[in-house]
Amino acid sequence: MSTPRSRAFSGIQPTADSLHLGNFLGALVNWVSFQDRFECVYSVVDLHSLTVGPDPAAIRDRTRRTAAQMLAAGIDPARSILFVQSHVPQHAELTWLLNCVTGFGEASRMTQFKDKSSKQGAEGTTVGLFDYPILMAADILLYDAAIVPVGEDQRQHLELSRDLAARLNARYGEGTAIVPEPYIVPATAKIQDLQDPAAKMSKSGRPGGILELMDPPKVLAKRIKAAVTDGETEIRYDPAAKPGVSNLLTIYSALSGRPVEQIVEEYRGKMCGHLKADLADVVVEAFTPVREKTEGYLADPAQLDAILADGAARASQIATRVHARIADRFGLLPRGETGRRGADG
Ligand code: AQP
C-alpha cells in the first residue's frame, strides 16, 4: 500500500487533436482524483509520440491541445506538476542507461510493439517504437514514482518498468530505483471501440469508433447512435457474448456513477435506441464543460505555455536529482554541483 503523499506519475501522448473517452475514463478521471492522495506528476509525453512520425506542426499544436484538455479535466497545476516530457532532458538520458540493462529479447516480447510493427513492417518501424517501453520506464523511475495510474493496455509496459527498477536495485544496490505499482481500475481499464467492440478505443482507431472530448454534442450523439450492438435487442451485461452493449453499459455506469445492474434493470424490456439516446445525454453532460474549458485555455497560449514552463522547472528539480543518483550508481562521473548533490542525496 502506498502511504499518503507518495508520488504518482503518468503521461499521455499528443497524438490527436482530442483525447477520447478511453483516455478520459481509463486515465484522466483517476489522475484528477489522485491529486487528493498523492504528489502527482503528469506529462504530455511528446517524445513517445515521435515514435510514429507525426508532422512537426501537428505535434506542436497537439502538445498544447493535450495539456489544455488535461487542465480542463481537472489537473490542477497548483497541486500537481504538469509538464511536457521533452522539456526535461533527463527522460532521454535515463532511457539510455535503462537501454543498457534491458535485454533485446525482453524488449522484443512487448505485445504493443509486436502488434504495431507487424502492421508497419520492419522498414516502416522505427527503433524509437521498439524503445518506447524503456522510455516509459525512464519516465516513471525518474520521479521515484510509487504508483502509476494507467489503462489496461499499459500493464505489460508497467511490468517491464518494475523489472528494470528491481534489476537496478539488485545490480547497483537497494535505493537505486523505486519499484512502481500499477493502478488500473478494472471497470474502466479498457473502453472499447464503438464500431469494433473487440478493439480498444484509441486515438489511432476508426473515426466512428471513438468519442472525443472535443466533439460537439451532435457528433457524440451520432456516434453513439451508430454504435455496434450485437444482433439481439436484449440489454444485458455480458462482455463475451454482447461486447457492444456491455461497452455502452460500462461507459454509462462510469460517467453516471450508477452500478451497471441498476442501469440494466432500468432498461429491461426497452430497445437499445433508448439506452443510446440517454447515454448520449450523459456523455454530452460530462464532455461539454471539459470542451468549453479547453477552448478557454487554448485561447490564451501564453498562459498555457507559462503553466507548462513552471511544470517543467518543478519536474526538472526532481528529475535532475534522481537521474544524478542513478547515473552515479552506474559509475558515471558527477556533473558539477548538481550532479554531486544528486549522487549524495
Ligand atoms: N480504450 C482505453 N480504455 C482505457 N484506457 C485507455 N487509455 C488509452 N486508451 C484507453 C489510457 O490512456 C492513457 C494515455 O494513453 P495514450 O496516450 O497511449 O492513448 P491512446 O489512445 O492509446 O493513443 P495512441 O497511442 O495514439 O493510440 P494507439 O493505442 O492506437 O497507439 C494511458 O494510461 C492508457 O492506458
Side-chain angles (χ1 to χ4, degrees), residues 3-307:
T3 50
R5 310 320 290 178
S6 293
R7 197 172 289 137
F9 176 91
S10 206
I12 198 155
Q13 300 186 76
T15 37
D17 290 348
S18 176
L19 301 180
H20 57 74
L21 183 69
N23 304 136
F24 186 68
L25 289 178
L28 270 179
V29 166
N30 298 322
W31 298 4
V32 171
S33 72
F34 262 41
Q35 297 180 118
D36 297 329
R37 295 154 59 201
F38 300 100
E39 183 189 333
C40 296
V41 183
Y42 297 128
S43 184
V44 181
V45 288
D46 54 348
L47 297 177
H48 281 276
S49 67
L50 296 181
T51 58
V52 289
D55 166 57
I59 189 165
R60 213 166 277 131
D61 185 45
R62 288 172 173 178
T63 298
R64 286 203 184 92
R65 282 181 170 276
T66 302
Q69 289 168 80
M70 292 164 80
L71 291 164
I75 303 301
D76 176 1
R79 289 194 291 159
S80 298
I81 295 177
L82 172 64
F83 73 105
V84 176
Q85 184 188 29
S86 63
H87 292 175
V88 179
Q90 285 81 7
H91 287 256
E93 294 180 17
L94 183 56
T95 300
W96 183 256
L97 299 186
L98 296 181
N99 278 340
C100 297
V101 296
T102 306
F104 187 80
E106 185 176 34
S108 307
R109 284 192 289 277
M110 296 295 115
T111 52
Q112 210 171 80
F113 172 75
K114 286 199 275 188
D115 287 350
K116 289 189 178 179
S117 60
S118 70
K119 282 179 201 146
Q120 294 162 9
E123 290 311 312
T125 300
T126 64
V127 174
L129 188 65
F130 184 69
D131 213 21
Y132 180 112
I134 328 284
L135 175 59
M136 179 168 155
D139 297 339
I140 296 164
L141 303 194
L142 200 49
Y143 296 93
D144 281 342
I147 188 152
V148 184
V150 286
E152 180 62 37
D153 58 332
Q154 296 302 327
R155 187 184 289 279
Q156 193 190 29
H157 292 164
L158 239 304
E159 265 315 305
L160 179 69
S161 301
R162 288 171 54 77
D163 289 348
L164 292 177
R167 191 169 306 157
L168 293 188
N169 290 338
R171 252 183 225 184
Y172 300 109
E174 280 308 314
T176 304
I178 301 282
V179 180
E181 289 290 336
Y183 179 90
I184 300 174
V185 178
T188 50
K190 198 169 177 207
I191 302 297
Q192 308 294 71
D193 185 287
L194 298 183
Q195 287 300 315
D196 175 9
K200 78 154 189 157
M201 189 178 283
S202 91
K203 295 194 210 92
S204 54
R206 292 159 198 70
I210 67 174
L211 296 174
E212 294 182 299
L213 277 181
M214 300 305 286
D215 277 339
K218 266 190 183 160
V219 173
L220 294 170
K222 200 171 141 200
R223 288 194 179 165
I224 293 169
K225 196 174 169 195
V228 169
T229 46
D230 341 291
E232 41 155 333
T233 50
E234 190 191 0
I235 294 171
R236 68 190 159 87
Y237 186 77
D238 182 346
K242 295 176 72 70
V245 172
S246 302
N247 191 35
L248 297 183
L249 288 168
T250 296
I251 296 168
Y252 201 139
S253 168
L255 289 178
S256 65
R258 292 168 54 201
V260 166
E261 307 77 53
Q262 199 188 85
I263 300 168
V264 169
E265 195 49 44
E266 188 182 323
Y267 288 90
R268 191 175 296 284
K270 293 190 182 160
M271 305 295 285
C272 259
H274 286 111
L275 175 72
K276 286 177 169 179
D278 293 346
L279 176 59
D281 291 343
V282 169
V283 171
V284 167
E285 199 180 318
F287 281 13
T288 301
V290 181
R291 177 169 49 80
E292 288 173 356
K293 282 186 199 156
T294 300
E295 281 158 4
Y297 281 110
L298 291 174
D300 190 351
Q303 185 213 5
L304 192 53
D305 288 355
I307 292 172

